[in-house]
Amino acid sequence: MHDIIINEKILSKNMEIAAENRERLKNKGIFTINLISSPGSGKTALVEKTVEALKDEIKVAVIEGDIQGDLDTQRLMKFGIPVRQINTGRSCHLDAHMIRHTLPGLFDQGEIDFLIIENVGNMVCPAEYDLGEDLKVSVMSVTEGDDKPLKYPAMFHASNYLLINKVDLHPYTNFDLERAKANALKMNPELKIFETSCTEGTGIEKWIDEMRGKLADKPKD
Amino acid sequence: MHDIIINEKILSKNMEIAAENRERLKNKGIFTINLISSPGSGKTALVEKTVEALKDEIKVAVIEGDIQGDLDTQRLMKFGIPVRQINTGRSCHLDAHMIRHTLPGLFDQGEIDFLIIENVGNMVCPAEYDLGEDLKVSVMSVTEGDDKPLKYPAMFHASNYLLINKVDLHPYTNFDLERAKANALKMNPELKIFETSCTEGTGIEKWIDEMRGKLADKPKD
């Protein structure tokens, strides 16, 4: 019970800071997504594909959230875009405060149209911590089991998009795509679902086009 | 900073209760393992295989930790063994307090030799919360990426065993088994590693034999 009271206080403070982040990002006309998933669902590969497809059209930047290390940041350096690493230490999620402190350094690296935040791999707490993003994007891979939306409802409930990733591995698993989608939609009927594979390129163009549409809708000063 | 102080207090209280749990389990001669992994690594399938192999030799019981629902408990009911479900609500990990409250109900269901606790799917916080177990067992699947030990060091550091699971999918991934093992051993040179597949049965007998050895070592009143 005591833990829950502490948690509510932390979450309420987080919401305040997230609202400030949202205002700052909006003022700069930056469209921001927050990628949430279990470790190993292929978030970083999706970020690579998205950056690769859009970097010559618009200005993309990335914030990488990890407990420790900068392996993902290193993977993204090859694109020559602004990337900032946040190491959360023992915290299992990014929070709005971490993002607030990261934005100035990112803004110093030049104009940004599209900011991708890759959260720490965790299906639970990242869903509760608003960072100031425009949209939350959940990722699950077909190797994780089609019951995950029923077991980790908050993530699916909080998200605008769900990418069902690694569909190239689908033939080798007992994952039921239709059941997974039905389970996800049970948690959130508004969820827009894409099936993707970064190794075979399946669904990537459709996903990028969706982001292009969102970017076109974003007012730029 | 404030979060960290709160967290230290919670962790210190958790350690006290975990020590009490450990004493109670020891007094009953129960050998206990705590299974930790990312969501979708195949923990429940491993529990099924382990229960199936051992249930006619010894008395096995299971505690299932999930945010919500009892899907995994339902999967285990077919074995006719004592199973208790803990729903953590918004908490991303089991803690010693939850286990303390679950043990009496489990003990009421009869004698136990081997208790398997399946933690909430999360590579971060479960590593920090001692439950009173004898051994921690980490599970990672070959679809998650061989860099995971470098990104989630605490789980590998805290564990006695690592099961690299779903090796049947290995041919279809770019997962480097040797690199994964080297990364895990870098985090914890004492880690004992097994390669397993629940769909093809690979390595399961070896794993069960290891548990048989541990159970034989456990003094029974």
Side-chain angles (χ1 to χ4, degrees), chain B:
Chain B
M1 191 61 199
H2 192 58
D3 289 24
I4 294 171
I5 295 165
I6 293 169
N7 199 28
E8 289 299 342
K9 268 194 180 172
I10 293 171
L11 282 176
S12 144
K13 183 69 192 163
N14 185 75
M15 273 176 69
E16 274 175 43
I17 304 174
E20 290 167 28
N21 291 346
R22 187 166 282 113
E23 194 59 27
R24 287 172 78 186
L25 291 161
K26 189 184 159 201
N27 287 342
K28 289 191 172 278
I30 300 172
F31 173 63
T32 305
I33 62 170
N34 176 5
L35 275 176
I36 305 178
S37 84
S38 166
S41 67
K43 279 193 302 306
T44 313
L46 279 163
V47 174
E48 286 177 315
K49 289 284 172 198
T50 309
V51 170
E52 197 174 19
L54 291 172
K55 72 180 172 48
D56 295 330
E57 297 169 31
I58 53 158
K59 295 188 176 70
V60 191
V62 177
I63 295 177
E64 279 296 333
D66 282 295
I67 298 290
Q68 178 174 305
D70 64 351
L71 290 172
D72 294 345
T73 293
Q74 285 177 34
R75 280 172 64 177
L76 292 164
M77 295 300 266
K78 61 177 176 283
F79 297 113
I81 58 157
V83 186
R84 304 290 284 195
Q85 178 75 47
I86 298 178
N87 280 142
T88 60
R90 282 161 58 185
S91 178
C92 62
H93 56 270
L94 290 174
D95 64 35
H97 187 259
M98 298 172 192
I99 299 298
R100 174 162 76 179
H101 283 273
T102 305
L103 290 180
L106 206 57
F107 294 163
D108 284 349
Q109 293 183 255
E111 211 194 319
I112 300 167
D113 302 307
F114 185 22
L115 173 59
I116 305 173
I117 304 175
E118 183 181 342
N119 220 310
V120 176
N122 178 357
M123 277 188 161
V124 189
C125 300
E128 290 207 85
Y129 285 80
D130 184 10
L131 306 178
E133 69 275 1
D134 291 294
L135 298 171
K136 278 191 180 66
V137 180
S138 279
V139 185
M140 70 182 286
S141 89
V142 299
T143 64
E144 291 171 26
D146 46 48
D147 59 351
K148 287 299 162 289
L150 306 178
K151 295 172 81 177
Y152 301 89
M155 182 181 94
F156 296 87
H157 184 72
S159 293
N160 307 86
Y161 290 99
L162 169 64
L163 306 192
I164 301 183
N165 197 28
K166 306 196 185 178
V167 290
D168 55 296
L169 294 177
H170 187 213
Y172 314 112
T173 68
N174 61 359
F175 187 90
D176 185 328
L177 254 170
E178 293 315 309
R179 196 189 304 148
K181 285 194 245 180
N183 284 340
L185 291 169
K186 207 182 288 175
M187 294 303 126
N188 179 1
E190 307 293 321
L191 207 54
K192 214 163 169 181
I193 303 176
F194 291 80
E195 297 168 25
T196 53
S197 160
C198 292
T199 52
E200 295 185 350
T202 322
I204 299 295
E205 200 47 45
K206 219 168 148 189
W207 162 243
I208 303 291
D209 273 345
E210 180 74 19
M211 288 300 98
R212 276 195 190 101
K214 289 287 163 189
L215 282 151
D217 290 346
K218 188 89 187 177
K220 198 86 191 168
D221 293 337

Side-chain angles (χ1 to χ4, degrees), chain A residues 138-189:
Chain A
S138 278
V139 185
M140 70 183 286
S141 90
V142 299
T143 64
E144 291 172 27
D146 45 48
D147 59 352
K148 287 299 162 292
L150 306 178
K151 296 171 82 178
Y152 301 89
M155 183 181 94
F156 296 88
H157 184 72
S159 293
N160 308 86
Y161 291 98
L162 168 64
L163 306 191
I164 302 183
N165 196 28
K166 304 195 186 181
V167 290
D168 55 296
L169 294 177
H170 186 214
Y172 314 112
T173 67
N174 61 0
F175 187 90
D176 185 328
L177 253 170
E178 292 314 310
R179 197 189 302 146
K181 284 193 245 182
N183 285 339
L185 290 170
K186 207 182 287 173
M187 295 302 127
N188 180 359

